Amino acid sequence: MKIFTTKNELRQYLQEVNKAGQTIGFVPTMGALHLGHLSLLAQARQQTDVTVCSIFVNPTQFNDPKDLEKYPRPIAADIEKLQQAGCHVLFNPPVSEMYAGDEHWHLDIGELEHLLEGKFRPGHYQGVMQVVYKLFDMVKPDKAFFGQKDYQQVMVISRMVALMNLPVEIVMCPIEREADGLAMSSRNIHLTTDDRQHALILSKALYATQSGFNINRISDIQHEAAAMINAEPGTVLEYFEIADGDTLHAANQNSAKIVALVAAKVGATRLIDNVIIR
Ligand code: PAF
């Protein structure tokens, strides 16, 4: 696996890949890789010729400096996992390579930015778009792979790609879960043994919503799921929404896609999860 830390080296290498007529599959990450990331890499390997992964803990998408500080950075273990997964290129730049000082970024994506995650993490999606735009510009991927666990993030990036007319296909890959249902996340590392048990209420509530779904009882089902989570010790619910999968507004009879999304603090760790209902 080639490892680059500067955009010039990365660009030079990928220009040759382009010249050779090979397609590029890109998996942007913030590291602390788990099976969820590796499933994105597997998809990239299946669908494109050269797989590029980036590991960059992007400061502009953290609205809480403590969260940024404690974000896990096990780079040696990550490199080993990428090598085993057959990744061709790792881009692991320092902050100075990505940002030239006091930069400003704002792309108007409408209310999508302020719903659900946007309400609880103001500015988060502007930071995500800022870094993903830069990474797309450096990697020039044919396809980029993102996890469904960050469903709203996939919508935000797809909106940016459409607005800016970027020549990349966005592929959303299913959530990888532990055997007991917990969605895999780099943040799970922070869960204590008790938190780990309490965290299971999120997937339980989502599965209960999925199996008992009735379009005429959306509001009741949503309240029941919220009550389940609120009753779990050590867990503070931020939102549980049964939303239209295209707009993230409350789902209704006309919603072609429906998704249930949840965010909660379990102990000191903030977790998100979702299931696609239709
Ligand atoms: O999902 C993530 O890990 C990050 O938001 C991303 C897409 C790598 C941008 O920093």
Side-chain angles (χ1 to χ4, degrees):
M1 180 172 73
K2 301 263 178 217
I3 302 180
F4 300 116
T5 55
T6 70
K7 45 186 181 276
N8 283 344
E9 287 167 317
L10 176 77
R11 276 192 177 125
Q12 260 172 29
Y13 182 80
L14 293 178
Q15 264 165 17
E16 295 308 312
V17 169
N18 263 319
K19 270 190 211 153
Q22 291 180 301
T23 54
I24 298 174
F26 181 39
V27 180
T29 81
M30 297 205 299
L33 303 178
H34 49 71
L35 288 178
H37 297 112
L38 300 184
S39 74
L40 303 181
L41 283 161
Q43 276 302 315
R45 286 206 57 182
Q46 258 179 37
Q47 298 189 30
T48 55
D49 300 320
V50 173
T51 305
V52 180
C53 175
S54 63
I55 295 183
F56 178 64
V57 182
N58 172 37
T60 69
Q61 71 188 75
F62 285 81
N63 47 332
D64 175 357
K66 278 198 210 117
D67 193 20
L68 171 62
E69 200 181 304
K70 74 173 194 190
Y71 202 86
R73 291 166 168 88
I75 189 66
D78 283 349
I79 290 176
E80 204 168 316
K81 285 177 191 167
L82 289 174
Q83 264 157 351
Q84 274 167 18
C87 180
H88 300 109
V89 178
L90 166 62
F91 182 47
N92 179 216
V95 174
S96 56
E97 191 65 20
M98 295 300 292
Y99 294 109
D102 189 18
E103 287 187 25
H104 296 277
W105 165 279
H106 184 84
L107 179 68
D108 190 349
I109 54 163
E111 56 192 353
L112 180 57
E113 184 189 341
H114 304 294
L115 299 168
L116 304 177
E117 282 301 286
K119 254 190 218 158
F120 289 88
R121 305 185 70 188
H124 169 66
Y125 286 127
Q126 289 298 336
V128 169
M129 286 189 286
Q130 181 180 28
V131 77
V132 172
Y133 181 85
K134 281 172 181 265
L135 289 166
F136 280 179
D137 181 54
M138 293 168 199
V139 176
K140 304 215 182 320
D142 295 277
K143 294 188 183 196
F145 299 80
F146 293 88
Q148 180 204 315
K149 190 168 83 63
D150 293 287
Y151 187 92
Q152 191 172 0
Q153 170 170 278
V154 183
M155 288 182 74
V156 165
I157 290 166
S158 303
R159 182 76 54 88
M160 174 182 78
V161 164
L163 286 172
M164 311 283 271
N165 210 11
L166 303 178
V168 53
E169 182 186 332
I170 302 300
V171 183
M172 183 169 82
C173 303
I175 299 176
E176 290 291 321
R177 295 183 181 279
E178 306 287 353
D180 57 10
L182 182 70
M184 291 190 188
S185 163
S186 304
R187 293 174 193 271
N188 290 353
I189 208 166
H190 297 309
L191 297 170
T192 64
T193 314
D194 282 350
D195 293 342
R196 175 74 184 67
Q197 253 340 89
H198 298 317
L200 295 180
I201 196 65
L202 304 188
S203 52
K204 279 188 192 151
L206 287 167
Y207 286 140
T209 301
Q210 191 177 42
S211 61
F213 188 71
N214 174 341
I215 193 77
N216 300 312
R217 287 192 65 244
I218 287 187
S219 160
D220 289 345
I221 295 172
Q222 198 164 286
H223 282 115
E224 285 158 19
M228 270 175 84
I229 296 169
N230 280 327
E232 184 71 22
T235 304
V236 179
L237 180 64
E238 290 190 348
Y239 61 79
F240 189 101
E241 290 283 336
I242 300 178
D244 182 297
D246 289 319
T247 64
L248 292 190
H249 282 298
N252 61 49
Q253 308 272 355
N254 300 322
S255 298
K257 288 188 203 156
I258 297 181
V259 54
L261 306 106
V262 65
K265 271 221 163 133
V266 182
T269 309
R270 187 174 187 278
L271 298 177
I272 57 171
D273 196 357
N274 66 75
V275 291
I276 293 176
I277 291 175
R278 129 167 140 194

